[in-house]
Amino acid sequence: MQRNTYVSAAAAVVLALGGPVAAAATAAAAPTALTAATAARADVTAEAAAQAALKANPGVIESLDRDGAVWHVDVVSKDGTHSELEVDAASGSVTKENQDDDQKADDYASLLAAKVTAEQAMKTAVAAHPGKVWSVEWDDDDDNGRAATWNVEVKTTDGKTQNVHVDTATAKVVSSDADDDDSDDGNN
């Protein structure tokens, strides 16, 4: 019984002294670990997500948007097959979520014939408003008499959200406006 008491006392001393040392070592390593995790998360930009999606599923991007830890990417192939993909924002891995084989190329004729791709529209938008692309979407809704455009959302370096409309034939900015509500919507 006395032997167990000595062993227990020795274990308590080791834990008491080892605990603060381990905690200090962990605290010292935490900024490095946090920085590495943050760097990994920041590695997959909209442009990188677009490349990963097109490598996994060749075609033309119809839309791309960031939702928390994933990029949602819609890709249309030359035959009109519409695929919904997810690209992990930390690793860049691609998962096919859904595929619609019932569509025909005619349904996406204007998108497939566009001279300016989503990738080019993103470059144009960031050149006009430096920052990070958060989403890009094809818009051929001609309710307002306007030709098709790429709608690109850019989180600018000054913390604002800029909505940039890029012409699908010339890659020029047609219009842009800042969101009135620049609050963080949780989609970091």
Side-chain angles (χ1 to χ4, degrees), residues 3-44:
R3 181 179 173 300
N4 288 343
T5 305
Y6 290 126
V7 171
S8 296
V13 169
V14 169
L15 288 175
L17 293 176
V21 172
T26 303
T32 305
L34 182 59
T35 303
T38 303
R41 182 176 175 194
D43 284 345
V44 182

Side-chain angles (χ1 to χ4, degrees), residues 82-167:
H82 177 260
S83 300
E84 296 173 6
L85 309 171
E86 283 190 356
V87 178
D88 186 282
S91 69
S93 63
V94 179
T95 306
K96 187 176 281 190
E97 294 296 311
N98 190 21
Q99 183 169 314
D100 185 359
D101 297 324
D102 295 338
Q103 300 288 329
K104 299 195 176 15
D106 292 349
D107 296 338
Y108 297 103
S110 60
L111 172 65
L112 295 171
K115 294 180 181 177
V116 177
T117 64
E119 301 91 278
Q120 292 166 320
M122 288 188 283
K123 286 180 185 175
T124 297
V126 170
H129 301 281
K132 292 182 180 182
V133 172
W134 216 250
S135 70
V136 61
E137 182 176 18
W138 174 259
D139 181 10
D140 64 353
D141 181 19
D142 61 358
D143 288 345
N144 56 9
R146 180 176 69 188
T149 59
W150 286 106
N151 296 333
V152 185
E153 181 181 334
V154 177
K155 302 286 185 176
T156 61
T157 54
D158 63 0
K160 295 184 179 183
T161 300
Q162 195 72 34
N163 296 306
V164 184
H165 306 280
V166 178
D167 186 277

